[in-house]
Amino acid sequence: MKAFEFKPKLFLALKNYSKELFMADLMAGIIVGIVALPLAIAFGIASGVSPEKGIITAIIAGFIISMMGGSKVQIGGPTGAFIVIVYGIIQQYGEAGLIVATLMAGVLLILLGVFKLGAIIKFIPYPIIVGFTSGIAVTIFTTQIADIFGLSFGGEKIPGDFIGKWIMYFNHFDTINWWNTIISIASIIIIAMTPKFSKKIPGSLIAIIAITLLVYVLKTYVGVDSIDTIGDRFSIKAQLPGAEVPTLNWEAMKGLLPAAITIAVLGAIESLLSATVADGVIGDKHDSNTELIAQGTANIITPLFGGIPATGAIARTMTNINNGGKTPVAGLIHAVVLFLILLFLMPLAQYIPMACLAGVLVVVSYNMSEWRTFRALLKNPKSDITVLLITFFLTVIFDLTVAIEVGLVIACLLFMRRVAETTEISVITDEINPNEELDIAVNEESLMVPKGVEVYEINGPYFFGIANKFEEQMVQLGDRPKVRIIRMRKVPFIDSTGIHNLTNLCKMSKKERITIVLSGVNEKVHHVLEKSGFYELLGEENICENINVAIDRANQIIQK
C-alpha cells in the first residue's frame, strides 16, 4: 500500500514561481476578495452569527485552505450549504456548541485525508448531492422571507423548522413592510442584470453599494426609517479576535457528533466537488487527501477565532479561474484583501440593509437550487427519483443531518438491489456450447452434461444480496441429482453471507447424498474460500479449474 504523502500545491507552485504568475494571482486575488465580501457577510448573518464572523471565516479558513490545500485554484470560506446546519446548531447549543461541532468536524476531515478516504466521497450518489443541495436552497430562501417582506413578529421567536416558519409567516403577513420588499426586489434585479454589462465586478457587490447608498439617502433626506440595516441588529468589531479554546464537555460532544459528521461530510463533498470542477477547467488534478487535511485544519483553527464552518466554494473558485488565478497565491491574496477590508472598511457595513442581503441570499439559493438538474433527474429510474425526493424533503422538512444519513442508507440499499438484479443464475442440464464458453477446450464440438448432473452458472458477485436467491432457486427446482456443479468463473468476489450459504448448501447436499463441485473459481474468490475453511468441508478434489475438469470429476463420482 502506497504511503500517504501530504503535498500542498502551494509549495509545488512556488518552486517555479515568477513575476508574471504573481501579477496574475494578484489581480485574481483582489477580485475574488471583493466578490467574497458580500457573501461572507450574508452567510455569517444567515447562519445566526454576527457579520464580521463570516469575514473572519473567509480570512482564516481561506488562507489555510490555499496554503495547505491540494488544489491550485481552490478558494475556501463560508458557503451557503452550511447556513442550515450552523443555524440549527446555534439554536440548540449556542455558539459554544458550534465551535465544538466545527472542531470535531475538522478532526474528522483530517482523519479522512490521513486514511486516504478522499476518493470515497466520489461514490456518494449524484441524486443525494442534488437532493440536499436543492433542499438547502429552499431552506435558505425560507429563512430570508422575514427580511424580504420586513415582517414583524412582536417579539415572538421564529421557529427553526420549515413548516413552523411558514405558518408564522402567514400569520404575520399583515405586518409586511413594502420598503423592504422594494429593496429586496431591486437588489435581485441588479444582481441579475450585472453580468450583462460587467463580467469582473460581482452583481452582489454592486447591489450592496447601490442599495446601501439609496437607503442612506432615504433615511437621511426622505425620512424613511423603517428599513432595517446591519447596524440596527449587530454591533460590528473591525478586528480579528483573540483565539479562545472552548471548554470540551463529553456529554455535549456526544450530542454534537451527528452535526459534526454532517459538517465534515458536507465540507468534504463541496470542497472535492469544487476542486474537481476546477480541474476540468484548468486541466490539472487535485490531491483529494491533501485537500481534506487542509479543510480539516481550517475548521479546527477558524472556530477558535469565532469563525463558522468553511469549505471550498465553487462560485469563488470559478471567479478565481476566470480572472486569471494560476496558483494558491491568489487564494492567499484574497484572504489578505478581506483582512484589510475588515480592518479599514468594516464599520461601513453597518449601513447595509438587511433586505439587500436577503436579496443576495435569494440569488444564492436560486443558483444552489439546480432546478434544471433536479427536473432532469425526475426522468431517471425510479430508484434515483426515490433517493432524490426523500433526500430533498428530509432536508427541507427535518434537517440536513437526517437527510444525509437516510439518503445514504437508501442509496446503499438500492445499489445493492441493483447489483443483485445484475447477478444471473442459470441452470444447464443437457449440453454446453464450446463456442460460447471460454473455459472449454476448443476442439470439443459440445460438452455433454452427464445424466444425474446439474450445472449452475453464477454470473456476477456472490454477496448477501444474491446468496439467498441462489439457495431459493435450488429449492424451487426440487431435483435430486447426484452431482451439482457450480460454475463461478464469472464471480468477481464473495462475501461472508455467500460463504455461509455455500456452506449450508454443502451440508444440506451431503445429507441428501449430493456432491457439490466448484468450477472456474478465480484466484481472489479461491483465497477467500480457502481462508474461511470452506474447502475442508468440500474437499480439494472437488475444486476444478474449468468445466472440462468439473465434468470429468462428476463422471468419476457417478461411476462409483
Side-chain angles (χ1 to χ4, degrees):
M1 193 178 195
K2 189 179 178 182
F4 170 71
E5 294 180 348
F6 179 63
K7 291 183 177 180
K9 290 283 186 177
L10 176 65
F11 302 114
L12 296 174
L14 291 177
K15 288 180 180 179
N16 300 304
Y17 206 60
S18 64
K19 183 180 177 182
E20 289 77 15
L21 284 174
F22 175 74
M23 293 307 296
D25 288 337
L26 177 64
M27 291 306 299
I30 292 172
I31 293 170
V32 176
I34 294 170
V35 170
L37 175 64
L39 295 175
I41 292 172
F43 292 151
I45 292 174
S47 298
V49 298
S50 56
E52 76 270 10
K53 289 186 177 180
I55 297 182
I56 288 168
T57 303
I59 293 169
I60 299 174
F63 193 91
I64 293 170
I65 289 169
S66 292
M67 182 176 68
M68 299 177 61
S71 170
K72 281 185 179 180
V73 291
Q74 180 89 285
I75 301 295
T79 67
F82 284 126
I83 289 175
V84 180
I85 187 69
V86 170
Y87 187 83
I89 294 171
I90 290 175
Q91 291 294 305
Q92 189 171 355
Y93 296 97
E95 289 193 23
L98 175 63
I99 292 172
V100 174
T102 310
L103 286 170
M104 292 166 67
V107 173
L108 291 173
L109 283 165
I110 289 177
L111 291 175
L112 285 174
V114 169
F115 290 107
K116 301 195 289 185
L117 297 175
I120 289 180
I121 301 298
K122 298 174 185 176
F123 294 102
I124 293 179
Y126 189 55
I128 288 184
I129 295 175
V130 174
F132 70 63
T133 302
S134 299
I136 290 167
V138 171
T139 309
I140 292 173
F141 174 76
T142 299
T143 61
Q144 299 309 303
I145 294 297
D147 285 330
I148 290 171
F149 294 102
L151 302 181
S152 176
F153 303 108
E156 288 183 59
K157 190 175 180 180
I158 301 176
D161 64 294
F162 176 82
I163 295 173
K165 277 189 175 73
W166 280 103
I167 290 172
M168 195 167 195
Y169 293 155
F170 282 119
N171 289 338
H172 293 81
F173 211 74
D174 56 341
T175 64
I176 187 171
N177 181 332
W178 289 107
W179 278 110
N180 282 56
T181 308
I182 292 168
I183 292 300
S184 293
I185 293 172
S187 302
I188 294 169
I189 291 172
I190 292 172
I191 295 169
M193 296 295 291
T194 298
K196 295 183 178 180
F197 58 84
S198 174
K199 300 292 183 183
K200 298 285 186 181
I201 305 174
S204 55
L205 182 66
I206 294 175
I208 283 177
I209 292 173
I211 297 299
T212 300
L213 289 173
L214 174 62
V215 170
Y216 180 78
V217 170
L218 288 173
K219 281 194 168 189
T220 307
Y221 300 105
V222 184
V224 178
D225 56 2
S226 60
I227 304 173
D228 278 354
T229 63
I230 290 177
D232 294 329
R233 299 189 191 178
F234 303 95
S235 58
I236 300 172
K237 298 175 183 177
Q239 61 184 33
L240 276 180
E244 293 184 15
V245 179
T247 303
L248 299 177
N249 179 285
W250 178 241
E251 289 301 317
M253 287 174 69
K254 285 196 293 184
L256 286 163
L257 182 59
I261 293 172
T262 302
I263 292 172
V265 171
L266 196 58
I269 292 171
E270 193 164 3
S271 63
L272 297 183
L273 184 63
S274 173
T276 302
V277 171
D279 287 347
V281 177
I282 66 173
D284 192 49
K285 187 175 182 181
H286 73 281
D287 184 328
S288 58
N289 296 313
T290 298
E291 185 65 25
L292 288 176
I293 290 177
Q295 300 288 338
T297 305
N299 281 291
I300 288 174
I301 296 174
T302 304
L304 300 179
F305 294 88
I308 58 178
T311 185
I314 294 177
R316 275 159 276 175
T317 299
M318 291 307 299
T319 302
N320 183 32
I321 295 170
N322 293 336
N323 287 280
K326 304 294 183 187
T327 75
V329 172
L332 300 178
I333 292 170
H334 129 272
V336 172
V337 168
L338 284 171
F339 179 61
L340 295 174
I341 291 172
L342 174 68
L343 291 181
F344 301 109
L345 299 177
M346 197 58 192
L348 297 176
Q350 65 182 310
Y351 299 108
I352 299 174
M354 296 298 296
C356 180
L357 287 180
V360 171
L361 287 172
V362 166
V363 175
V364 169
S365 63
Y366 175 81
N367 292 332
M368 277 185 69
S369 68
E370 300 189 52
W371 64 270
R372 292 180 181 84
T373 304
F374 193 101
R375 185 177 64 184
L377 284 175
L378 292 175
K379 300 175 184 177
N380 283 13
K382 289 182 180 179
S383 56
D384 286 345
I385 297 172
T386 301
V387 173
L388 173 71
L389 293 179
I390 288 177
T391 308
F392 173 77
F393 284 114
L394 286 175
T395 302
V396 172
I397 297 172
F398 294 97
D399 61 51
L400 198 58
T401 303
V402 174
I404 288 178
E405 291 171 351
V406 176
L408 284 173
V409 169
I410 292 173
C412 289
L413 292 173
L414 289 171
F415 173 75
M416 288 184 288
R417 179 185 164 193
R418 282 184 189 174
V419 173
E421 287 173 349
T422 59
T423 301
E424 297 176 353
I425 301 170
S426 55
V427 184
I428 304 168
T429 56
D430 45 15
E431 63 179 19
I432 301 171
N433 186 349
N435 297 320
E436 297 175 359
E437 311 294 334
L438 298 177
D439 61 340
I440 299 177
V442 293
N443 60 348
E444 300 265 1
E445 286 187 9
S446 64
L447 189 63
M448 298 303 298
V449 177
K451 189 176 180 180
V453 177
E454 286 181 351
V455 179
Y456 292 83
E457 172 91 40
I458 302 175
N459 185 359
Y462 193 3
F463 71 118
F464 62 89
I466 196 67
N468 292 330
K469 181 180 176 182
F470 180 51
E471 192 173 312
E472 287 168 7
Q473 186 158 341
M474 284 198 165
V475 172
Q476 286 172 2
L477 285 171
D479 293 341
R480 287 287 184 89
K482 290 186 178 180
V483 180
R484 282 176 176 151
I485 298 174
I486 303 175
R487 300 186 75 186
M488 301 181 69
R489 64 202 175 107
K490 294 180 181 178
V491 176
F493 70 85
I494 187 169
D495 71 351
S496 56
T497 308
I499 295 170
H500 175 72
N501 280 48
L502 273 180
T503 302
N504 284 346
L505 177 64
C506 285
K507 290 178 179 177
M508 181 180 70
S509 297
K510 271 189 174 182
K511 289 180 182 178
E512 297 175 346
R513 297 184 179 181
I514 300 171
T515 304
I516 298 293
V517 175
L518 300 187
S519 169
V521 181
N522 71 36
E523 188 177 342
K524 186 176 180 181
V525 176
H526 177 82
H527 176 72
V528 173
L529 291 174
E530 187 176 36
K531 193 175 180 182
S532 69
F534 176 76
Y535 289 163
E536 294 174 12
L537 172 67
L538 192 64
E540 287 192 20
E541 68 278 8
N542 292 323
I543 314 297
C544 304
E545 59 180 320
N546 57 51
I547 191 64
N548 298 75
V549 179
I551 294 290
D552 289 342
R553 174 60 186 156
N555 281 320
Q556 291 173 16
I557 296 169
I558 292 172
Q559 291 167 10
K560 283 184 180 179

